[in-house]
Amino acid sequence: MLSRRTLIVQLPALALAGSYAVRAFGADKSVTVGINLPLTGADAQAATKIKQGAQLAFDEANAAGGVAGYKVNLLVLDDGTATAGQYDPAQAATNARKMVSDSSVVAAIGPQMSGSGKAMSPILSQGNLAIITPASTNPDITNPKMAAQYRPAGKAVYFRTVTTDAYQGPNMANYYADTLKVKSVYVLDDSGAFGVGIADSFQTQAEKRGIKVLGRDQLNPKEADYTTILTKIKPMNADAIYYGGVAQAGVKLAKQSYDILPKLIKGGGDGMHSTDLLSGAGFPAAEGWYVTIAAPHVLDKPEVAAWAKRFQDKFGGPPEDYSITAYDAGLVIIDAIKRVAAAGKEVNRNNVRDAIQASKVNTLQGEVSFDENGDITNRVVSVFQIRKDDKYPLNDTIHQYKYVGVAPASS
Amino acid sequence: MAGRDRAAPRRGTIGAETFAFLWRASPVQWIAPHWRPRVAVALVTLAALVFPVLHRNDADIDSAANALAYAALALGLNIVVGFAGLLDLGYAAFFAIGAYTYGAFASFQIEPSWSPFWQPFEALGLVAHIGDVVHFTVSFWLMLPVSALVAALFGVLFGAPTLRLKGDYLAIVTLGFGEIVPIVARNTPSVTNGAMGLNGVAAPQLFGWSFGVDATPYYYVGVALVAVLIFASGRLKSSRIGRAWMAIREDEIAAAAMGVNRVKFKLLAFAIGAAFAGATGTYFVAKLQTATPEMFMFPVSVMILVMIVFGGIGSIWGVVVGALILQMLQSWFLQDLSQWLHALGRLLDVQWLQQIELVQSIEMIFGLILVTMMLYRRQGLIPATRNVRALTMAEQTAQVELAAPPPVERLRGDFTYCGPDPLLAINDLTVRFGGLVALRAVALTVPARSVVAVIGPNGSGKSTLFNAVTGLVTPESGSVQFAGYPIERLPPHVVLGRGMARTFQNIRLFPNLTVLENVMIGMHARLHAGVPGALLHLPRTRREEAEAREHCREILALFGNRLTPRADHVVSSLSYANRRRVEIARALASSPKLLLLDEPTAGMNPAETLELAGQIKSLHGHGLSIVLIEHKLDVVVSLADNVVVLDHGEKIAEGPPDVVRRNEEVIRAYLGRSASLGNAPQESAPRGSAAIA
Amino acid sequence: MTTEALYLQQIINGLSLGAMYALLALGFTLVYGILELINFAHFNVFMVASFIGMWALELLGLSGQGVILTGFALVGALAFGFVVTMVLAGLLGVAVERIALRPMRAVRGTAAMITTIGVSYILFNAVLLTVGADSKNYPNPMPDMHWDIGGATLRLREVLIWGVALVLMAGLHLFVNRTRLGKAMRATAQDAEAARMMGIDVDRVIITAFFLGSALAGAAALIFGLYYNYTSFIIGYSAGLRAFTAAVLGGIGSVTGAMVGGILIGLIEALGGQIVSVRWDDVIIFSILVLVLVFAPSGLFGRPSATRS
């Protein structure tokens, strides 16, 4: 009994000893970046693409001789659990503590889900460890009104390389009104935090802009049949539908709405900017969807195309939108470490956090900087339309999504 | 569950000798056996208390704190599934209810506008007002019991429609509620903030000090919570309430016939199980300071079930260990093991080692654990039923001593009926199953202190008569008067409470319980301990339990040395004749005025039959009235004052044994054309034993 | 689109859903009728079968909606798909029975059911870890034929679903009522012990029940894929749960009950979504289930044994 207990207590210590040993024998100096994503369960697919984006940034930096002489190790943690069957905020909190209690961790990337972010942020704040989310868009966490809850220690620790729901949904509502001349819309979401949030903010702005919101309903992402709701929408003679949510429900929605509501304008948020949508729904079902991403349009820039190729070569599959924001998050952290080292300061999490806060980094999506709450200052929302391009693989998000303009911000 | 497969070969005993050696060599041997459980509990408690001090990793402490929450949930589900045998596949619903109850009363979620109405609440510290809005600030410590209570109410609410359903239907309805609750949570954002998750849930405070985000204080609250729930589970299990639950689990009909109010105790199981989950939900949300509907979906319910199966259904320590192991496996050990392998990979510069993510296969691992456990170790890690020393050869072959008179003398007052005569009067009783008339206008009278035998061919309605009289079957018409009161519409447990107990033709004991437990369930209706008594061991309850135990041992002693040495044996391990005796003892434990015996000697050899007949006679001699269904005519003749003959659901004859055995119609109906009465009984004996073998 | 047409369309939708649920529910009910076992593995046998069907069609060179077949080619391709899917799904069901459930047969209580949950987890993760989490674009060679009926649209795929479901259910009905093995199944469902004594090979009956149930799930899976042009590792839970609800609603153990229950659940889902809201679908379905069980504890067509223990 006693010896077993000791062994259990010692195991993590051994693991730590292992990584110290690496530092001794590997590169001269190393730091660790934590990654927390729901790599198990229902969200595994998208999470893996995000992880690969981040990993690519650090692998490239390490291959180029490290970051200011430091080798960057990744501490990849999974906040998807079998217990929850998907992302699990309780595990996310545990993972945040793992990062905080490992003193070699200087910054982190993640989480994918806002529910996890809410559980992690207070812990990270106390540990003064900066995390950059490439995907979670619920505005509560960086809302200054809720600072006492989510950053009790004061400083911003929850940074984003995506804009929050506060922009993507409303800007698309403006685009619907101004460019697409939509007069009436039916709003759907996928019952997830991201989907509900973006659909809510779309709906509010759409009503403000005089678009008639004919109704609002919620899709169960685990269910296959959406014909009921689509049939219900059919006689309403709506101009458009707007869908807030990720591709899991989006694939089925695209397929079935193509059958039942072929003539409507269909649009969604960045959850629909996904290889899963292209390969799962396929053409012609996906054709014509308007999809926003919460970043300036960069995807047809030559360096991004080259990057996409590197990604494809390394991981055997095309990147997604959030692979880019994750890669950018990696670049921000790398840049911060470099600046800390260049300033002659110790590369620790306090200094790295301050450096991230002061970032002005050129990334795939352009220059990234953050406001005092951690939100990205560049709030451009770009609109794409899915148009089949036979010259490229049909699941290639870079080429099957055509840039059609910027979704205007609300004045 | 363990006892059911006792015949199955034990697999996976490799290394048994090694363990046996270690066991003999271990210091455990220095501790006196009856102290061992206490020492073990003390050691576990000590280990739990010093763990965060020795292991100062905040993440691992947090992981342990989460695991403790699941241990608490497992304890709650164990009450419902393990003790009461009610399969609940939507248990996470109560977890959610507890979580959102605290979430709603300790966050910024509900903010009614300020009015004088709130003033008293503000004075009590339950709300604060910020500007024009009311902000709920109910203390965590207050909300723990409140959430438990709210969840318990929902437990009753969800349990109520399921009461009439058997296991599998129950499972689907609970599953349905498990689906409904998170959907309601998601679709009522005004209370729950829907899919976005709660904001600003307050951390617990203790004397003005906030728990904040550090994992350690939550860990200790978790330890305390689990300790309290282990304690409560243990107290409940060994009480009158726990026995009633296990009786329902083992055999619902027999439980009802032994005086257990099924409705009440099933609902109680749901309520207490839900209360555990409610308190845990509050703990969990206070720790996490947010909650989303996704945290309470079907996989959570299944996982808690897996935990209790893994640990040992019904075993208190088993389910705790099961939950801790499985939860920490995924949140701590596998992650660390993966990291460790990555470090090793970096050290050796092996790429694939650096890529391994064991956690991603966790569900697969759980599935394999579940199936493997079910196939090879169904009783779980720590089985609920303990092994009892087998009887020595001497005890097994001991001379049969028949009942010593003293206990019977002491029990005389329990069995003697002193009310208006007759004790039982059945008039015009008709029972119909669909198109089949099982009993037609049957009349029967049992004078006080008499023995009435009911005979008749198979299928003549004898057992149906018992079922109708004891409330298991509702008669279509007719009246049943017992001790002067009509009882034909009363449920079985009330009938038993009035003083009528029975046995079953095909023995309905509680197979996985011990002899003593079986007999004590017979006393259920004579005892009064409720939940507070059981939990707090009030002096009254303790006295009652001790007296009950004593009483039951006296009842066992009625059967000489047949049952007394086997009091702690599981009844499924007993011989057929002993099981018959236990069933009679169980009925006697309820202190009946009238005992209904359904073929008590079926399957017994002549010597055993004679012995039992003697015991029945002595019971009768001490005041007990008896109705006896019996095929063995010599038994009938030797015991009965009066014989009633049924055929095709109708009474065809009645009278003293001698008269009835000469009745032509009886001979024709009962024996066929030409046989004589003396040869009849043998036919039925093999049937009885075949049904049991 | 008039209101009548709208409701007609929803009824068409509901009947299609219902036909799928009914086929899936039959698998629950066949196994339950004989073993009194809720088979949670059935959820993911269905899911695995949808992948089997997809690979079978891809074997014929069909992928996505790119290849459209007509006439005999279409009939032949579909027949091939159904036969392969049903046989392999049936064998999967039999394998589950042999490996995980047969050793549990003598065990009372919930042990066997819990084992099926474990098997379900294994199947689920075997697919997740091998074919991945992304949604699959299911091959569908059917031409886009549709008819206008009172303003509602009836598509070829709906006709196919109903046709296949009717044929399979009629076949099952004939099998159960007319063949020796079918009669043996009914006898075993009535009283396994007595059936064994009368010389019925109960093992064979159980294997048949698993094979047929899983094969019907296979048919439902292929129909599912063709109808939605979609499959994924997650489809088992939602569809399985509703089919299970359908089986209970109809009276688990009753073949007629499963068919009627399936159709009812399909209609409730479609009309409930139309009249109330899709977000409350599950709440509506389970509330109806609870109400039915409160007033008729053995379901609509069940034997009255549900309240007995």
Side-chain angles (χ1 to χ4, degrees), chain A residues 137-320:
Chain A
T137 53
N138 184 290
D140 292 345
I141 306 172
T142 48
N143 184 343
K145 284 187 194 142
M146 296 187 188
Q149 164 75 12
Y150 292 116
R151 42 181 160 117
K155 289 179 185 168
V157 288
Y158 201 86
F159 297 92
R160 305 183 201 249
T161 49
V162 290
T163 60
T164 65
D165 300 340
Y167 302 97
Q168 217 185 136
N171 291 16
M172 189 57 164
N174 295 333
Y175 189 81
Y176 264 44
D178 299 342
T179 311
L180 300 175
K181 310 289 182 209
V182 169
K183 299 278 178 287
S184 60
V185 67
Y186 198 97
V187 182
L188 294 166
D189 66 66
D190 71 347
S191 65
F194 162 73
V196 175
I198 192 170
D200 279 350
S201 61
F202 173 91
Q203 186 176 346
T204 312
Q205 179 67 13
E207 278 163 352
K208 252 185 231 164
R209 294 297 311 270
I211 299 178
K212 188 159 185 242
V213 176
L214 297 167
R216 168 78 185 271
D217 214 331
Q218 199 157 63
L219 306 172
N220 174 354
K222 296 207 175 97
E223 216 205 318
D225 187 273
Y226 301 149
T227 56
T228 299
I229 182 63
L230 294 170
T231 302
K232 186 176 175 178
I233 297 170
K234 194 174 178 184
M236 294 179 179
N237 293 318
D239 291 340
I241 54 175
Y242 181 81
Y243 164 68
V246 297
Q248 196 175 56
V251 166
K252 293 166 266 184
L253 180 67
K255 276 191 182 287
Q256 293 172 31
S257 63
Y258 171 72
D259 278 339
I260 298 174
L261 306 169
K263 298 203 180 69
L264 265 61
I265 291 169
K266 293 156 207 155
D270 54 9
M272 293 294 270
H273 194 281
S274 147
T275 48
D276 202 7
L277 181 75
L278 292 176
S279 60
F283 292 97
E287 180 83 29
W289 272 75
Y290 290 92
V291 172
T292 53
I293 67 165
H297 169 55
V298 289
L299 290 172
D300 55 2
K301 285 200 288 197
E303 65 263 35
V304 176
W307 171 84
K309 187 168 181 316
R310 297 205 302 277
F311 188 100
Q312 173 90 35
D313 290 347
K314 187 169 170 84
F315 301 113
E320 293 188 351

Side-chain angles (χ1 to χ4, degrees), chain C residues 82-105:
Chain C
F82 274 105
V83 169
V84 170
T85 312
M86 289 177 69
V87 168
L88 291 181
L91 292 178
L92 178 62
V94 171
V96 168
E97 198 277 328
R98 278 310 300 264
I99 296 165
L101 295 175
R102 182 163 300 181
M104 314 287 295
R105 205 173 296 157

Side-chain angles (χ1 to χ4, degrees), chain B residues 1 4-5 11 81 87 89 160-162 164-169 171-173 175-177 179-180 183-184 186-189 249-253 262 298-300 302-303 305-306 309 313 360-364 366-368 370-371 374-375 378 508 511-512, chain C residues 32 36-38 40 43 99-101 103-104 106-115 117-119 121-126 128-129 237 241 244-245 248 251-252 279-280 282-283 286-287 289-290 293-299 302-303 305-309:
Chain B
M1 185 156 290
R4 286 173 196 145
D5 51 308
R11 301 192 222 184
V81 180
L87 183 58
L89 289 181
T162 65
R164 297 203 300 152
L165 305 175
K166 73 167 180 174
D168 317 282
Y169 287 78
I172 178 73
V173 172
L175 200 161
F177 283 124
E179 289 288 298
I180 287 174
I183 295 174
V184 171
R186 178 179 296 138
N187 289 339
T188 48
R249 176 189 76 196
E250 297 288 315
D251 187 332
E252 217 179 289
I253 301 291
R262 285 176 289 175
F298 182 63
V300 179
V302 172
M303 196 51 64
L305 188 66
V306 172
V309 169
I313 289 184
Q360 286 173 33
S361 314
I362 183 76
E363 286 194 340
M364 188 66 141
F366 279 175
L368 291 170
L370 195 56
V371 173
M374 279 292 138
L375 289 178
R378 218 160 290 136
R508 301 190 80 145
N512 291 315
Chain C
Y32 189 89
E36 300 227 330
L37 164 74
I38 298 177
F40 278 97
F43 285 48
I99 296 165
L101 295 175
M104 314 287 295
V107 183
R108 238 184 53 176
T110 53
M113 193 210 75
I114 293 170
T115 311
I117 295 179
V119 172
Y121 261 92
I122 292 172
L123 291 175
F124 179 86
N125 284 284
L128 174 61
L129 295 174
Y237 178 64
L241 190 55
F244 180 40
T245 310
V248 175
I252 194 161
R279 70 172 71 195
W280 293 106
D282 278 313
V283 177
F286 284 112
S287 305
L289 177 80
V290 171
L293 288 182
V294 166
F295 293 106
S298 45
R303 286 172 284 168
S305 66
T307 52
R308 280 210 342 241
S309 56

Side-chain angles (χ1 to χ4, degrees), chain B residues 502-674:
Chain B
R502 68 170 293 178
T503 66
F504 292 87
Q505 183 188 345
N506 46 355
I507 307 187
R508 301 190 80 145
L509 287 170
F510 308 117
N512 291 315
L513 304 185
T514 65
V515 170
L516 189 63
E517 283 168 335
N518 265 276
V519 177
M520 286 192 72
I521 289 163
M523 280 199 72
H524 179 86
R526 303 281 165 259
L527 307 179
H528 307 283
V531 174
L535 288 180
L536 304 175
H537 267 199
L538 299 174
R540 201 181 48 196
T541 313
R542 235 179 316 175
R543 202 165 48 238
E544 181 183 272
E545 274 292 295
E547 284 168 9
R549 214 163 277 275
E550 189 51 36
H551 178 73
C552 289
R553 288 198 183 276
E554 283 171 1
I555 300 271
L556 290 180
L558 288 176
F559 296 87
N561 60 354
R562 293 285 195 190
L563 299 180
T564 305
R566 297 176 173 86
D568 292 326
H569 286 224
V570 173
V571 293
S572 57
S573 71
L574 297 185
S575 72
Y576 179 74
N578 271 339
R579 279 187 259 168
R580 282 255 177 244
R581 294 184 185 106
V582 174
E583 206 188 17
I584 296 171
R586 185 179 69 181
L588 290 174
S590 69
S591 305
K593 308 298 179 224
L594 177 64
L595 179 63
L596 309 184
L597 295 172
D598 198 342
E599 299 196 29
T601 69
M604 288 188 172
N605 66 31
E608 290 168 336
T609 304
L610 203 63
E611 179 192 331
L612 188 66
Q615 283 155 350
I616 294 173
K617 208 179 189 84
S618 103
L619 287 169
H620 174 232
H622 291 91
L624 184 63
S625 311
I626 294 168
V627 180
L628 178 72
I629 294 175
E630 188 51 71
H631 279 289
K632 295 179 183 167
L633 264 286
D634 42 349
V635 176
V636 171
V637 171
S638 74
L639 290 176
D641 305 319
N642 207 14
V643 178
V644 171
V645 188
L646 293 183
D647 186 31
H648 290 106
E650 291 185 61
K651 186 166 81 175
I652 56 168
E654 182 173 8
D658 290 348
V659 178
V660 168
R661 80 188 296 174
R662 283 190 294 274
N663 183 316
E664 282 292 318
E665 199 183 349
V666 174
I667 295 172
R668 206 170 40 249
Y670 194 69
L671 305 168
R673 271 148 246 356
S674 57

